[in-house]
Amino acid sequence: MDIWKQFTFEAAHQLPNLPPEHKCRRLHGHSYRVTVVISAEIGSDSGWVMDFADVQAAFDPCYDALDHRYLNEVPGLENPTAELIAIWIWQRLKPALPALSEIRIDETCTAGCVYRGR
């Protein structure tokens, strides 16, 4: 069974490794949506995969580090692409959420990425 919980955060960034003329090299911001997917068996007693409150608690430190921030200043996100943000979040959530199976980042309403670990 897969369950998911979505989170949103607002942040600014620029992508310093792009050519100077590329629009994403300039400072800009996004309303990011993060989907955290957990894959596990349904508990025989609880009837659920896990408590969504536990997913929320695991994500809260990521939210605090990312929301209304300049992402380039967040340690580990000096080149904050959607792909690298997904990996950054995965690395922080996986110890607390062993059944984590997917991080989806929607950078805009038409573009994003999915990371399923390594």
Side-chain angles (χ1 to χ4, degrees), residues 26-27 57 110:
R26 296 191 298 267
L27 180 62
T110 62

Side-chain angles (χ1 to χ4, degrees), residues 2 11 15 24 30 33 38 43-45 52 55 57 63 65-66 73 77 83 85-87 90 98 103 117:
D2 294 339
L15 301 180
C24 293
H30 296 285
R33 184 172 55 212
I38 307 296
S44 58
D45 291 332
F52 287 113
V55 180
Y63 178 83
L66 300 172
E73 294 177 348
L77 290 177
E83 296 88 339
I85 295 168
I87 292 169
W90 177 282
I103 297 291

Side-chain angles (χ1 to χ4, degrees), residues 74-90:
V74 174
L77 290 177
E78 293 77 14
N79 182 34
T81 63
E83 296 88 339
L84 294 176
I85 295 168
I87 292 169
W88 186 93
I89 291 171
W90 177 282

Side-chain angles (χ1 to χ4, degrees), residues 59-67 69:
F59 188 79
D60 282 346
C62 292
Y63 178 83
D64 292 341
L66 300 172
D67 187 53
R69 306 288 181 177

Side-chain angles (χ1 to χ4, degrees), residues 13-35:
H13 73 155
Q14 59 184 10
L15 301 180
N17 297 346
L18 295 177
E21 64 276 2
H22 195 287
K23 68 180 183 176
C24 293
R25 174 113 183 218
R26 296 191 298 267
L27 180 62
H28 62 286
H30 296 285
S31 296
Y32 291 91
R33 184 172 55 212
V34 178
T35 305

